[in-house]
Amino acid sequence: MEFFVEVAKTCNFGRAAANLGVPKSTVSRQVAELERSLGLRLLSRTTRRVELTDAGLLYFERCQRIVSEAQVAHEELQKLVETPSGPLRVNMPADFGTDFLAEVFMEFSQRYPEVTFYLDLASPEHAGRVFQRCDISIEIGELPDSSQIARLLGLLPAYLYASPEYLQRHGAPRHPDDLTRHECLEFRAHDGKVTRWPLSRGDERLEITPGKRFSANSVPMVRSLASLGAGIAVLAPARSVRQDVEQRRLQRVLPGWQAGPFPVYAVTDTRLLPAKTRIFIEFLVERLRDGGLAPQHNAPLLQ
């Protein structure tokens, strides 16, 4: 069962064998014996790819939790709870992963060299639909499914930016109400949902729906358009944004106002987490707090 689950996760016998630390032939033989015992074909194999059959998908959905819990019990029995090891699969938004998490992954790998990372920065699916491919999904914004198991890592601040050329042509807004007369660059999530701008200054709160001419589902594209004078954008103060400000490609707009902050979650499909997952989430909380995300003291698991 463990061999089959690993092949289903990786869609590759060789990679599954490497993760399990056994020969590829052993994995292939064990999965074939499992299929024979069940009398069903679980995997469709070609020279180029391995895919789950309908029966394989059903079996995988039932087996992965059993295997995960067995692995946790095995770790506890062997007193390996504080020594994380093995592959850790993390799904995350591409821009947030690149700007905020690359150094975190590097530091964690240096501290725990027995952990290997499989990082997915491209999947547009929400966490609830990708757990056959990952252990943790990093999600930004309010979660649509309140039943998900999530750890609040922190709050991501964001601010309004535009290029000096744009502000010279159109003038700088003095209040968020003035934004209706400006080009506001719209960020569109992969599910098509537009990210509204929740703006605040002290006790003042209001919400803006951006968008006139440009709508993009890529934060780097929104940042590039803003730096080229296309309009005003809401951006988190990542390294790339700070560089654009230092090089005078962008400058703050409405500096007394903040957008968000937007919650950042680590979402898992179970509370019973192996050492590598649990320790990495704690590491994320610490490093993201140090990196500028507003901390959430004693942030709970949400379900």
Side-chain angles (χ1 to χ4, degrees):
M1 186 183 295
E2 180 184 10
F3 287 49
F4 164 74
V5 167
E6 193 64 28
V7 173
K9 285 182 176 180
T10 60
C11 293
N12 186 288
F13 278 83
R15 195 174 303 142
N19 292 342
L20 294 166
V22 299
K24 179 181 176 181
S25 59
T26 300
V27 176
S28 180
R29 184 176 64 255
Q30 290 292 333
V31 171
E33 289 177 2
L34 177 63
E35 290 177 320
R36 281 195 295 272
S37 68
L38 294 173
L40 292 169
R41 193 170 187 80
L42 302 176
L43 297 170
S44 174
R45 307 163 178 83
T46 68
T47 56
R48 293 187 176 182
R49 59 193 307 174
V50 176
E51 294 181 335
L52 288 167
T53 64
D54 291 342
L57 179 60
L58 176 62
Y59 193 69
F60 173 73
E61 290 173 347
R62 300 297 178 90
C63 290
Q64 61 175 338
R65 186 181 296 268
I66 297 172
V67 171
S68 176
E69 292 178 356
Q71 289 172 342
V72 172
H74 184 71
E75 281 189 350
E76 291 176 342
L77 289 174
Q78 292 190 333
K79 300 182 179 179
L80 295 176
V81 176
E82 300 305 325
T83 308
S85 62
L88 184 63
R89 303 171 182 85
V90 186
N91 177 280
M92 74 208 84
D95 46 280
F96 184 78
T98 301
D99 286 336
F100 289 92
L101 297 183
E103 293 181 0
V104 174
F105 289 123
M106 190 63 191
E107 290 180 29
F108 190 84
S109 68
Q110 291 172 341
R111 180 176 295 187
Y112 302 105
E114 295 183 10
V115 173
T116 56
F117 283 100
Y118 291 86
L119 309 178
D120 186 353
L121 286 77
S123 293
E125 299 92 348
H126 191 269
R129 298 193 294 274
V130 301
F131 280 119
Q132 70 175 35
R133 298 284 181 248
C134 73
D135 301 300
I136 307 171
S137 183
I138 306 300
E139 300 286 318
I140 300 176
E142 294 300 337
L143 300 177
D145 184 354
S146 61
S147 67
Q148 289 179 313
I149 300 168
R151 172 70 181 270
L152 184 58
L153 302 176
L155 300 174
L156 180 65
Y159 307 98
L160 287 82
Y161 296 89
S163 71
E165 292 78 13
Y166 174 87
L167 297 175
Q168 185 176 6
R169 292 197 312 269
H170 300 278
R174 297 179 179 274
H175 187 273
D177 290 340
D178 299 335
L179 293 173
T180 58
R181 298 189 293 273
H182 283 268
E183 294 288 347
C184 295
L185 305 180
E186 176 184 281
F187 175 75
R188 187 181 68 258
H190 288 290
D191 60 4
K193 183 179 180 181
V194 174
T195 301
R196 294 170 65 84
W197 294 1
L199 303 177
S200 62
R201 180 180 65 178
D203 294 332
E204 294 182 81
R205 300 284 188 277
L206 54 89
E207 194 169 70
I208 299 294
T209 300
K212 285 188 178 180
R213 297 180 61 196
F214 288 101
S215 175
N217 65 351
S218 163
V219 171
M221 175 59 78
V222 170
R223 189 188 75 246
S224 294
L225 288 169
S227 68
L228 292 171
I232 299 173
V234 164
L235 299 166
R239 182 188 298 109
S240 54
V241 173
R242 294 196 301 269
Q243 289 174 347
D244 281 346
V245 172
E246 291 170 0
Q247 297 173 17
R248 300 184 182 279
R249 290 192 292 265
L250 290 175
Q251 69 181 63
R252 283 279 300 275
V253 176
L254 296 173
W257 291 81
Q258 174 178 286
F262 301 97
V264 180
Y265 296 97
V267 183
T268 61
D269 66 340
T270 177
R271 290 180 180 273
L272 190 59
L273 300 176
K276 60 185 179 184
T277 306
R278 176 178 53 80
I279 294 176
F280 180 67
I281 290 175
E282 294 298 334
F283 193 82
L284 276 176
V285 172
E286 177 185 347
R287 287 298 182 270
L288 291 181
R289 179 190 63 214
D290 294 343
L293 268 66
Q296 293 297 299
H297 299 293
N298 300 320
L301 282 171
L302 305 179
Q303 183 177 17

